[in-house]
Amino acid sequence: EAQVTQNPRYLITVTGKKLTVTCSQNMNHEYMSWYRQDPGLGLRQIYYSMNVEVTDKGDVPEGYKVSRKEKRNFPLILESPSPNQTSLYFCASSFTGLMNTEAFFGQGTRLTVV
Amino acid sequence: DQQVKQNSPSLSVQEGRISILNCDYTNSMFDYFLWYKKYPAEGPTFLISISSIKDKNEDGRFTVFLNKSAKHLSLHIVPSQPGDSAVYFCAARDNYGQNFVFGPGTRLSVLP
């Protein structure tokens, strides 16, 4: 089954404790992206990647890191989480060579930083 | 500055009537537009899309209209059903970078 898998689905952590949210897709997509959803602000892009070893900042990259060492994986790293990073996070993937294709989303990761 | 705007945070419609959700964009490089639907506790799911070479695309109860000169698109749902109650995101993709840019969403409530 074609899917984007995020782990964990729920996470509660303390300020300053490094964490990683994993994202994996099995559709051989070149494009992957991370978004956060906050009330009233919709989906804001954190980072995106057009292919292996190619990453770019989105609208709200501060406090986040990503890596794209393999095509299927795009982990989101919070080196020192803070309470303002409490949010609902979504990973997405898509083809880049075909223009008229949609992005597929994971189920989301709800992160709480206390 | 937001490149994709959805100026109505919420919309309520009676069951059986038409729902019209609007979206405006500023980047003239966008040439592919999509609508996503999101239920609570789930990821957004693709609903319908339109290429910039068209002005209308229809899929069952859902129709998307594109007015390139006005940089405006709309999603029509006819007839609206209670199961359509969700948050709808408008998204755009540019031909150059091929990144996806999303609007802030409109929460649709279809009242029985």
Short mmCIF file of all heavy atoms in Angstrom, two decimals, chain B residues 38-105:
data_model
loop_
_atom_site.label_atom_id
_atom_site.label_comp_id
_atom_site.label_asym_id
_atom_site.label_seq_id
_atom_site.Cartn_x
_atom_site.Cartn_y
_atom_site.Cartn_z
N LYS B 38 -9.26 17.86 5.23
CA LYS B 38 -8.64 17.33 6.43
C LYS B 38 -9.66 17.15 7.54
O LYS B 38 -10.32 18.11 7.95
CB LYS B 38 -7.51 18.24 6.91
CG LYS B 38 -6.74 17.63 8.09
CD LYS B 38 -5.71 18.56 8.63
CE LYS B 38 -5.02 17.91 9.82
NZ LYS B 38 -5.96 17.49 10.89
N TYR B 39 -9.74 15.90 8.01
CA TYR B 39 -10.55 15.60 9.19
C TYR B 39 -9.64 15.66 10.42
O TYR B 39 -8.43 15.47 10.32
CB TYR B 39 -11.16 14.21 9.09
CG TYR B 39 -12.20 14.05 8.01
CD1 TYR B 39 -12.03 13.15 6.97
CD2 TYR B 39 -13.39 14.79 8.04
CE1 TYR B 39 -12.99 12.99 5.99
CE2 TYR B 39 -14.36 14.63 7.06
CZ TYR B 39 -14.15 13.73 6.05
OH TYR B 39 -15.10 13.57 5.07
N PRO B 40 -10.23 15.90 11.60
CA PRO B 40 -9.43 15.89 12.84
C PRO B 40 -8.69 14.57 13.01
O PRO B 40 -9.21 13.51 12.68
CB PRO B 40 -10.49 16.08 13.93
CG PRO B 40 -11.62 16.76 13.26
CD PRO B 40 -11.64 16.23 11.86
N ALA B 41 -7.47 14.66 13.51
CA ALA B 41 -6.64 13.49 13.82
C ALA B 41 -6.23 12.69 12.59
O ALA B 41 -5.80 11.53 12.70
CB ALA B 41 -7.32 12.57 14.83
N GLU B 42 -6.37 13.28 11.39
CA GLU B 42 -5.92 12.61 10.18
C GLU B 42 -5.07 13.57 9.36
O GLU B 42 -5.15 14.79 9.52
CB GLU B 42 -7.10 12.16 9.32
CG GLU B 42 -7.95 11.10 9.97
CD GLU B 42 -9.08 10.65 9.04
OE1 GLU B 42 -9.06 11.01 7.85
OE2 GLU B 42 -9.97 9.93 9.51
N GLY B 43 -4.25 13.01 8.46
CA GLY B 43 -3.50 13.85 7.55
C GLY B 43 -4.40 14.38 6.45
O GLY B 43 -5.45 13.81 6.16
N PRO B 44 -4.01 15.51 5.82
CA PRO B 44 -4.79 16.02 4.69
C PRO B 44 -4.84 14.99 3.56
O PRO B 44 -3.86 14.29 3.30
CB PRO B 44 -4.00 17.26 4.25
CG PRO B 44 -3.19 17.65 5.44
CD PRO B 44 -2.86 16.36 6.14
N THR B 45 -5.98 14.91 2.89
CA THR B 45 -6.12 14.02 1.75
C THR B 45 -6.48 14.83 0.51
O THR B 45 -7.27 15.78 0.59
CB THR B 45 -7.18 12.93 1.99
OG1 THR B 45 -8.41 13.56 2.35
CG2 THR B 45 -6.76 11.99 3.09
N PHE B 46 -5.94 14.43 -0.60
CA PHE B 46 -6.15 15.11 -1.86
C PHE B 46 -7.61 14.99 -2.30
O PHE B 46 -8.22 13.91 -2.20
CB PHE B 46 -5.22 14.52 -2.91
CG PHE B 46 -5.50 14.98 -4.30
CD1 PHE B 46 -5.18 16.26 -4.70
CD2 PHE B 46 -6.09 14.12 -5.22
CE1 PHE B 46 -5.44 16.69 -5.99
CE2 PHE B 46 -6.34 14.53 -6.51
CZ PHE B 46 -6.03 15.82 -6.89
N LEU B 47 -8.15 16.08 -2.79
CA LEU B 47 -9.55 16.09 -3.20
C LEU B 47 -9.69 16.28 -4.70
O LEU B 47 -10.27 15.46 -5.41
CB LEU B 47 -10.28 17.22 -2.46
CG LEU B 47 -11.78 17.31 -2.58
CD1 LEU B 47 -12.46 16.05 -2.09
CD2 LEU B 47 -12.29 18.52 -1.79
N ILE B 48 -9.17 17.35 -5.21
CA ILE B 48 -9.31 17.68 -6.63
C ILE B 48 -8.23 18.69 -7.00
O ILE B 48 -7.73 19.41 -6.14
CB ILE B 48 -10.73 18.23 -6.93
CG1 ILE B 48 -11.00 18.31 -8.43
CG2 ILE B 48 -10.95 19.58 -6.25
CD1 ILE B 48 -12.47 18.59 -8.76
N SER B 49 -7.88 18.74 -8.28
CA SER B 49 -6.84 19.67 -8.71
C SER B 49 -7.22 20.28 -10.06
O SER B 49 -8.17 19.84 -10.72
CB SER B 49 -5.50 18.95 -8.83
OG SER B 49 -5.55 17.95 -9.84
N ILE B 50 -6.45 21.29 -10.44
CA ILE B 50 -6.65 21.91 -11.74
C ILE B 50 -5.32 22.47 -12.24
O ILE B 50 -4.55 23.06 -11.47
CB ILE B 50 -7.74 23.01 -11.68
CG1 ILE B 50 -8.06 23.53 -13.08
CG2 ILE B 50 -7.31 24.16 -10.76
CD1 ILE B 50 -9.35 24.35 -13.14
N SER B 51 -5.08 22.25 -13.51
CA SER B 51 -3.89 22.81 -14.14
C SER B 51 -4.21 24.22 -14.63
O SER B 51 -5.37 24.54 -14.91
CB SER B 51 -3.50 21.93 -15.32
OG SER B 51 -2.57 22.59 -16.14
N SER B 52 -3.19 25.03 -14.74
CA SER B 52 -3.41 26.43 -15.14
C SER B 52 -3.89 26.58 -16.58
O SER B 52 -4.32 27.66 -16.98
CB SER B 52 -2.13 27.24 -14.93
OG SER B 52 -1.09 26.72 -15.74
N ILE B 53 -3.81 25.52 -17.36
CA ILE B 53 -4.28 25.61 -18.75
C ILE B 53 -5.79 25.39 -18.84
O ILE B 53 -6.38 25.54 -19.90
CB ILE B 53 -3.55 24.60 -19.66
CG1 ILE B 53 -3.83 23.16 -19.23
CG2 ILE B 53 -2.06 24.90 -19.69
CD1 ILE B 53 -3.28 22.13 -20.19
N LYS B 54 -6.41 25.04 -17.69
CA LYS B 54 -7.85 24.85 -17.68
C LYS B 54 -8.51 25.91 -16.81
O LYS B 54 -7.85 26.57 -16.00
CB LYS B 54 -8.18 23.47 -17.12
CG LYS B 54 -7.68 22.31 -17.96
CD LYS B 54 -8.16 21.00 -17.37
CE LYS B 54 -7.75 19.84 -18.25
NZ LYS B 54 -8.24 18.54 -17.71
N ASP B 55 -9.82 26.06 -16.97
CA ASP B 55 -10.53 26.97 -16.07
C ASP B 55 -11.57 26.24 -15.22
O ASP B 55 -12.20 26.85 -14.35
CB ASP B 55 -11.18 28.12 -16.85
CG ASP B 55 -12.09 27.62 -17.96
OD1 ASP B 55 -12.49 26.44 -17.93
OD2 ASP B 55 -12.43 28.44 -18.85
N LYS B 56 -11.72 24.94 -15.46
CA LYS B 56 -12.70 24.19 -14.69
C LYS B 56 -12.31 22.72 -14.67
O LYS B 56 -11.85 22.17 -15.68
CB LYS B 56 -14.08 24.35 -15.33
CG LYS B 56 -15.20 23.56 -14.67
CD LYS B 56 -16.50 23.77 -15.44
CE LYS B 56 -17.61 22.89 -14.91
NZ LYS B 56 -18.87 23.08 -15.68
N ASN B 57 -12.50 22.08 -13.52
CA ASN B 57 -12.32 20.64 -13.43
C ASN B 57 -13.39 20.09 -12.49
O ASN B 57 -13.61 20.64 -11.41
CB ASN B 57 -10.92 20.29 -12.91
CG ASN B 57 -10.65 18.80 -12.98
OD1 ASN B 57 -11.23 18.10 -13.82
ND2 ASN B 57 -9.78 18.30 -12.14
N GLU B 58 -14.03 19.03 -12.93
CA GLU B 58 -15.17 18.50 -12.19
C GLU B 58 -14.92 17.04 -11.82
O GLU B 58 -14.40 16.26 -12.62
CB GLU B 58 -16.41 18.61 -13.08
CG GLU B 58 -17.73 18.45 -12.39
CD GLU B 58 -18.88 18.81 -13.32
OE1 GLU B 58 -18.63 19.37 -14.41
OE2 GLU B 58 -20.03 18.52 -12.96
N ASP B 59 -15.31 16.68 -10.60
CA ASP B 59 -15.20 15.30 -10.16
C ASP B 59 -16.37 15.02 -9.22
O ASP B 59 -16.32 15.33 -8.03
CB ASP B 59 -13.87 15.06 -9.45
CG ASP B 59 -13.68 13.61 -9.04
OD1 ASP B 59 -14.56 12.77 -9.33
OD2 ASP B 59 -12.65 13.30 -8.42
N GLY B 60 -17.44 14.45 -9.78
CA GLY B 60 -18.61 14.17 -8.97
C GLY B 60 -19.24 15.44 -8.42
O GLY B 60 -19.59 16.35 -9.17
N ARG B 61 -19.34 15.51 -7.10
CA ARG B 61 -19.98 16.68 -6.48
C ARG B 61 -19.03 17.88 -6.37
O ARG B 61 -19.45 18.96 -5.95
CB ARG B 61 -20.47 16.30 -5.07
CG ARG B 61 -21.55 15.25 -5.04
CD ARG B 61 -22.08 15.02 -3.63
NE ARG B 61 -21.05 14.51 -2.73
CZ ARG B 61 -20.58 15.18 -1.69
NH1 ARG B 61 -21.01 16.40 -1.42
NH2 ARG B 61 -19.66 14.63 -0.91
N PHE B 62 -17.78 17.67 -6.71
CA PHE B 62 -16.76 18.70 -6.52
C PHE B 62 -16.32 19.30 -7.86
O PHE B 62 -16.03 18.57 -8.81
CB PHE B 62 -15.54 18.10 -5.81
CG PHE B 62 -15.85 17.47 -4.50
CD1 PHE B 62 -16.16 16.11 -4.40
CD2 PHE B 62 -15.87 18.23 -3.34
CE1 PHE B 62 -16.47 15.53 -3.19
CE2 PHE B 62 -16.17 17.65 -2.12
CZ PHE B 62 -16.48 16.30 -2.04
N THR B 63 -16.31 20.62 -7.91
CA THR B 63 -15.85 21.34 -9.10
C THR B 63 -14.90 22.44 -8.66
O THR B 63 -15.21 23.18 -7.71
CB THR B 63 -17.02 21.96 -9.87
OG1 THR B 63 -17.95 20.94 -10.22
CG2 THR B 63 -16.53 22.65 -11.14
N VAL B 64 -13.77 22.54 -9.32
CA VAL B 64 -12.84 23.64 -9.04
C VAL B 64 -12.81 24.54 -10.26
O VAL B 64 -12.76 24.08 -11.41
CB VAL B 64 -11.44 23.11 -8.67
CG1 VAL B 64 -10.87 22.21 -9.75
CG2 VAL B 64 -10.49 24.26 -8.39
N PHE B 65 -12.89 25.84 -10.00
CA PHE B 65 -12.83 26.86 -11.03
C PHE B 65 -11.57 27.69 -10.84
O PHE B 65 -11.21 28.02 -9.71
CB PHE B 65 -14.06 27.80 -10.94
CG PHE B 65 -15.37 27.12 -11.21
CD1 PHE B 65 -16.11 26.57 -10.17
CD2 PHE B 65 -15.86 27.03 -12.51
CE1 PHE B 65 -17.32 25.95 -10.41
CE2 PHE B 65 -17.07 26.41 -12.76
CZ PHE B 65 -17.81 25.87 -11.71
N LEU B 66 -10.93 28.01 -11.96
CA LEU B 66 -9.71 28.81 -11.89
C LEU B 66 -9.87 30.05 -12.76
O LEU B 66 -10.20 29.95 -13.94
CB LEU B 66 -8.51 28.00 -12.36
CG LEU B 66 -7.18 28.75 -12.47
CD1 LEU B 66 -6.72 29.28 -11.12
CD2 LEU B 66 -6.11 27.86 -13.09
N ASN B 67 -9.60 31.21 -12.18
CA ASN B 67 -9.58 32.48 -12.92
C ASN B 67 -8.16 33.01 -12.83
O ASN B 67 -7.77 33.65 -11.85
CB ASN B 67 -10.58 33.46 -12.29
CG ASN B 67 -10.63 34.78 -13.05
OD1 ASN B 67 -9.67 35.18 -13.71
ND2 ASN B 67 -11.76 35.45 -12.95
N LYS B 68 -7.35 32.72 -13.85
CA LYS B 68 -5.93 33.08 -13.81
C LYS B 68 -5.71 34.58 -13.78
O LYS B 68 -4.81 35.07 -13.10
CB LYS B 68 -5.20 32.48 -15.02
CG LYS B 68 -4.78 31.04 -14.83
CD LYS B 68 -3.83 30.61 -15.92
CE LYS B 68 -2.47 31.26 -15.78
NZ LYS B 68 -1.51 30.74 -16.78
N SER B 69 -6.51 35.32 -14.51
CA SER B 69 -6.30 36.77 -14.55
C SER B 69 -6.53 37.39 -13.18
O SER B 69 -5.87 38.36 -12.80
CB SER B 69 -7.19 37.42 -15.60
OG SER B 69 -8.55 37.18 -15.29
N ALA B 70 -7.46 36.82 -12.43
CA ALA B 70 -7.75 37.33 -11.09
C ALA B 70 -6.93 36.62 -10.02
O ALA B 70 -7.00 36.99 -8.84
CB ALA B 70 -9.23 37.17 -10.77
N LYS B 71 -6.17 35.61 -10.40
CA LYS B 71 -5.40 34.78 -9.46
C LYS B 71 -6.33 34.26 -8.36
O LYS B 71 -6.06 34.41 -7.15
CB LYS B 71 -4.22 35.55 -8.88
CG LYS B 71 -3.14 35.91 -9.89
CD LYS B 71 -1.89 36.41 -9.17
CE LYS B 71 -0.76 36.70 -10.12
NZ LYS B 71 -1.02 37.85 -11.00
N HIS B 72 -7.40 33.66 -8.80
CA HIS B 72 -8.43 33.21 -7.87
C HIS B 72 -8.95 31.84 -8.29
O HIS B 72 -9.12 31.56 -9.48
CB HIS B 72 -9.60 34.22 -7.89
CG HIS B 72 -10.76 33.80 -7.04
ND1 HIS B 72 -10.81 34.03 -5.68
CD2 HIS B 72 -11.91 33.14 -7.36
CE1 HIS B 72 -11.94 33.54 -5.20
NE2 HIS B 72 -12.63 33.01 -6.20
N LEU B 73 -9.14 30.98 -7.29
CA LEU B 73 -9.81 29.71 -7.58
C LEU B 73 -10.84 29.44 -6.50
O LEU B 73 -10.79 30.01 -5.40
CB LEU B 73 -8.84 28.54 -7.71
CG LEU B 73 -7.95 28.11 -6.57
CD1 LEU B 73 -7.60 26.63 -6.74
CD2 LEU B 73 -6.66 28.91 -6.56
N SER B 74 -11.81 28.62 -6.87
CA SER B 74 -12.86 28.29 -5.93
C SER B 74 -13.22 26.82 -6.04
O SER B 74 -13.05 26.21 -7.11
CB SER B 74 -14.09 29.17 -6.16
OG SER B 74 -14.60 28.97 -7.45
N LEU B 75 -13.68 26.28 -4.95
CA LEU B 75 -14.14 24.89 -4.89
C LEU B 75 -15.63 24.92 -4.61
O LEU B 75 -16.07 25.54 -3.63
CB LEU B 75 -13.42 24.14 -3.77
CG LEU B 75 -13.90 22.72 -3.49
CD1 LEU B 75 -13.58 21.79 -4.67
CD2 LEU B 75 -13.28 22.17 -2.20
N HIS B 76 -16.41 24.26 -5.48
CA HIS B 76 -17.85 24.16 -5.31
C HIS B 76 -18.20 22.73 -4.94
O HIS B 76 -17.74 21.78 -5.60
CB HIS B 76 -18.58 24.55 -6.59
CG HIS B 76 -18.44 26.00 -6.93
ND1 HIS B 76 -19.42 26.71 -7.60
CD2 HIS B 76 -17.45 26.90 -6.70
CE1 HIS B 76 -19.05 27.96 -7.76
NE2 HIS B 76 -17.84 28.10 -7.22
N ILE B 77 -19.00 22.59 -3.92
CA ILE B 77 -19.48 21.26 -3.50
C ILE B 77 -21.00 21.28 -3.60
O ILE B 77 -21.67 22.07 -2.90
CB ILE B 77 -19.05 20.93 -2.05
CG1 ILE B 77 -17.54 21.10 -1.88
CG2 ILE B 77 -19.46 19.51 -1.70
CD1 ILE B 77 -17.06 20.94 -0.43
N VAL B 78 -21.52 20.44 -4.49
CA VAL B 78 -22.97 20.40 -4.71
C VAL B 78 -23.45 18.95 -4.90
O VAL B 78 -22.93 18.28 -5.80
CB VAL B 78 -23.38 21.21 -5.96
CG1 VAL B 78 -24.89 21.18 -6.13
CG2 VAL B 78 -22.86 22.63 -5.89
N PRO B 79 -24.42 18.46 -4.13
CA PRO B 79 -24.94 19.09 -2.93
C PRO B 79 -24.03 18.82 -1.73
O PRO B 79 -23.35 17.80 -1.70
CB PRO B 79 -26.29 18.38 -2.75
CG PRO B 79 -26.04 17.00 -3.30
CD PRO B 79 -25.07 17.17 -4.43
N SER B 80 -24.03 19.70 -0.79
CA SER B 80 -23.20 19.51 0.41
C SER B 80 -23.82 18.44 1.31
O SER B 80 -25.05 18.36 1.43
CB SER B 80 -23.07 20.83 1.18
OG SER B 80 -22.51 21.83 0.37
N GLN B 81 -22.94 17.67 1.93
CA GLN B 81 -23.39 16.61 2.82
C GLN B 81 -22.70 16.77 4.18
O GLN B 81 -21.59 17.31 4.24
CB GLN B 81 -23.04 15.24 2.23
CG GLN B 81 -23.67 14.96 0.88
CD GLN B 81 -23.17 13.67 0.26
OE1 GLN B 81 -22.25 13.03 0.76
NE2 GLN B 81 -23.80 13.29 -0.86
N PRO B 82 -23.30 16.29 5.26
CA PRO B 82 -22.67 16.41 6.57
C PRO B 82 -21.26 15.84 6.62
O PRO B 82 -20.39 16.36 7.32
CB PRO B 82 -23.63 15.65 7.49
CG PRO B 82 -24.97 15.82 6.83
CD PRO B 82 -24.69 15.77 5.35
N GLY B 83 -21.02 14.78 5.86
CA GLY B 83 -19.68 14.18 5.81
C GLY B 83 -18.64 15.06 5.16
O GLY B 83 -17.43 14.78 5.25
N ASP B 84 -19.07 16.15 4.52
CA ASP B 84 -18.12 17.10 3.93
C ASP B 84 -17.55 18.05 4.97
O ASP B 84 -16.63 18.82 4.67
CB ASP B 84 -18.80 17.93 2.84
CG ASP B 84 -19.27 17.08 1.67
OD1 ASP B 84 -18.62 16.07 1.35
OD2 ASP B 84 -20.30 17.44 1.06
N SER B 85 -18.09 18.02 6.16
CA SER B 85 -17.60 18.90 7.23
C SER B 85 -16.15 18.55 7.54
O SER B 85 -15.85 17.43 7.96
CB SER B 85 -18.46 18.76 8.49
OG SER B 85 -19.79 19.17 8.23
N ALA B 86 -15.27 19.51 7.31
CA ALA B 86 -13.82 19.29 7.45
C ALA B 86 -13.13 20.63 7.24
O ALA B 86 -13.78 21.64 6.95
CB ALA B 86 -13.32 18.28 6.42
N VAL B 87 -11.82 20.62 7.37
CA VAL B 87 -11.03 21.79 6.98
C VAL B 87 -10.53 21.57 5.56
O VAL B 87 -10.00 20.51 5.24
CB VAL B 87 -9.84 22.02 7.94
CG1 VAL B 87 -8.99 23.20 7.45
CG2 VAL B 87 -10.33 22.27 9.36
N TYR B 88 -10.69 22.57 4.72
CA TYR B 88 -10.27 22.48 3.32
C TYR B 88 -9.09 23.42 3.10
O TYR B 88 -9.15 24.61 3.40
CB TYR B 88 -11.43 22.85 2.40
CG TYR B 88 -12.50 21.80 2.38
CD1 TYR B 88 -13.43 21.71 3.41
CD2 TYR B 88 -12.57 20.86 1.34
CE1 TYR B 88 -14.38 20.72 3.42
CE2 TYR B 88 -13.53 19.88 1.34
CZ TYR B 88 -14.43 19.81 2.38
OH TYR B 88 -15.39 18.83 2.39
N PHE B 89 -8.02 22.85 2.56
CA PHE B 89 -6.82 23.62 2.26
C PHE B 89 -6.68 23.77 0.76
O PHE B 89 -6.77 22.81 0.01
CB PHE B 89 -5.58 22.92 2.80
CG PHE B 89 -5.47 22.91 4.29
CD1 PHE B 89 -5.80 21.77 5.01
CD2 PHE B 89 -5.04 24.03 4.98
CE1 PHE B 89 -5.70 21.75 6.40
CE2 PHE B 89 -4.93 24.02 6.36
CZ PHE B 89 -5.27 22.88 7.08
N CYS B 90 -6.41 24.97 0.34
CA CYS B 90 -6.04 25.26 -1.03
C CYS B 90 -4.52 25.20 -1.12
O CYS B 90 -3.82 25.63 -0.18
CB CYS B 90 -6.54 26.67 -1.37
SG CYS B 90 -6.02 27.31 -2.96
N ALA B 91 -3.98 24.65 -2.20
CA ALA B 91 -2.52 24.54 -2.35
C ALA B 91 -2.15 24.87 -3.79
O ALA B 91 -2.95 24.74 -4.71
CB ALA B 91 -2.04 23.15 -1.98
N ALA B 92 -0.91 25.31 -3.96
CA ALA B 92 -0.41 25.64 -5.29
C ALA B 92 0.99 25.10 -5.46
O ALA B 92 1.75 24.96 -4.49
CB ALA B 92 -0.43 27.16 -5.49
N ARG B 93 1.31 24.82 -6.71
CA ARG B 93 2.65 24.32 -7.01
C ARG B 93 3.20 25.12 -8.19
O ARG B 93 2.49 25.37 -9.15
CB ARG B 93 2.58 22.84 -7.39
CG ARG B 93 3.92 22.13 -7.35
CD ARG B 93 3.79 20.66 -7.66
NE ARG B 93 4.96 19.92 -7.20
CZ ARG B 93 5.23 18.66 -7.49
NH1 ARG B 93 4.41 17.98 -8.26
NH2 ARG B 93 6.31 18.07 -7.02
N ASP B 94 4.48 25.50 -8.09
CA ASP B 94 5.05 26.31 -9.17
C ASP B 94 5.86 25.44 -10.11
O ASP B 94 6.41 24.41 -9.72
CB ASP B 94 5.90 27.46 -8.63
CG ASP B 94 7.17 26.96 -7.94
OD1 ASP B 94 8.16 26.67 -8.66
OD2 ASP B 94 7.14 26.85 -6.72
N ASN B 95 5.92 25.85 -11.32
CA ASN B 95 6.58 25.06 -12.35
C ASN B 95 8.09 25.02 -12.17
O ASN B 95 8.75 24.08 -12.59
CB ASN B 95 6.24 25.65 -13.72
CG ASN B 95 6.72 24.79 -14.86
OD1 ASN B 95 6.63 23.57 -14.79
ND2 ASN B 95 7.27 25.38 -15.88
N TYR B 96 8.63 26.03 -11.51
CA TYR B 96 10.08 26.12 -11.38
C TYR B 96 10.58 25.28 -10.21
O TYR B 96 11.33 24.33 -10.38
CB TYR B 96 10.50 27.57 -11.21
CG TYR B 96 11.98 27.75 -11.01
CD1 TYR B 96 12.87 27.53 -12.06
CD2 TYR B 96 12.50 28.12 -9.77
CE1 TYR B 96 14.23 27.66 -11.88
CE2 TYR B 96 13.86 28.26 -9.59
CZ TYR B 96 14.72 28.04 -10.64
OH TYR B 96 16.07 28.19 -10.45
N GLY B 97 10.15 25.64 -9.00
CA GLY B 97 10.65 24.95 -7.82
C GLY B 97 9.90 23.68 -7.50
O GLY B 97 10.40 22.82 -6.81
N GLN B 98 8.67 23.60 -7.96
CA GLN B 98 7.81 22.45 -7.72
C GLN B 98 7.52 22.20 -6.26
O GLN B 98 7.21 21.09 -5.86
CB GLN B 98 8.40 21.20 -8.39
CG GLN B 98 8.50 21.36 -9.89
CD GLN B 98 8.78 20.06 -10.60
OE1 GLN B 98 9.01 19.03 -9.98
NE2 GLN B 98 8.76 20.11 -11.92
N ASN B 99 7.64 23.26 -5.47
CA ASN B 99 7.28 23.16 -4.07
C ASN B 99 5.78 23.34 -3.93
O ASN B 99 5.13 23.98 -4.76
CB ASN B 99 8.03 24.24 -3.27
CG ASN B 99 7.90 24.06 -1.79
OD1 ASN B 99 7.62 22.97 -1.31
ND2 ASN B 99 8.11 25.14 -1.04
N PHE B 100 5.21 22.77 -2.87
CA PHE B 100 3.78 22.93 -2.58
C PHE B 100 3.62 24.02 -1.52
O PHE B 100 4.26 23.96 -0.48
CB PHE B 100 3.18 21.63 -2.05
CG PHE B 100 3.01 20.55 -3.08
CD1 PHE B 100 4.04 19.67 -3.34
CD2 PHE B 100 1.82 20.41 -3.78
CE1 PHE B 100 3.90 18.68 -4.29
CE2 PHE B 100 1.66 19.41 -4.73
CZ PHE B 100 2.70 18.55 -4.98
N VAL B 101 2.73 24.96 -1.80
CA VAL B 101 2.45 26.03 -0.85
C VAL B 101 0.97 25.96 -0.49
O VAL B 101 0.11 25.89 -1.38
CB VAL B 101 2.77 27.41 -1.46
CG1 VAL B 101 2.46 28.52 -0.46
CG2 VAL B 101 4.24 27.48 -1.88
N PHE B 102 0.68 25.98 0.80
CA PHE B 102 -0.69 25.81 1.27
C PHE B 102 -1.25 27.10 1.84
O PHE B 102 -0.52 27.92 2.40
CB PHE B 102 -0.73 24.72 2.36
CG PHE B 102 -0.65 23.33 1.82
CD1 PHE B 102 0.57 22.79 1.46
CD2 PHE B 102 -1.80 22.58 1.65
CE1 PHE B 102 0.65 21.51 0.94
CE2 PHE B 102 -1.73 21.29 1.13
CZ PHE B 102 -0.51 20.76 0.78
N GLY B 103 -2.56 27.23 1.71
CA GLY B 103 -3.27 28.31 2.36
C GLY B 103 -3.59 27.95 3.80
O GLY B 103 -3.32 26.82 4.24
N PRO B 104 -4.17 28.86 4.56
CA PRO B 104 -4.43 28.62 5.98
C PRO B 104 -5.63 27.72 6.26
O PRO B 104 -5.81 27.27 7.38
CB PRO B 104 -4.69 30.03 6.53
CG PRO B 104 -5.16 30.80 5.36
CD PRO B 104 -4.46 30.25 4.16
N GLY B 105 -6.45 27.46 5.24
CA GLY B 105 -7.58 26.55 5.44
C GLY B 105 -8.89 27.26 5.74
O GLY B 105 -8.92 28.36 6.27
#
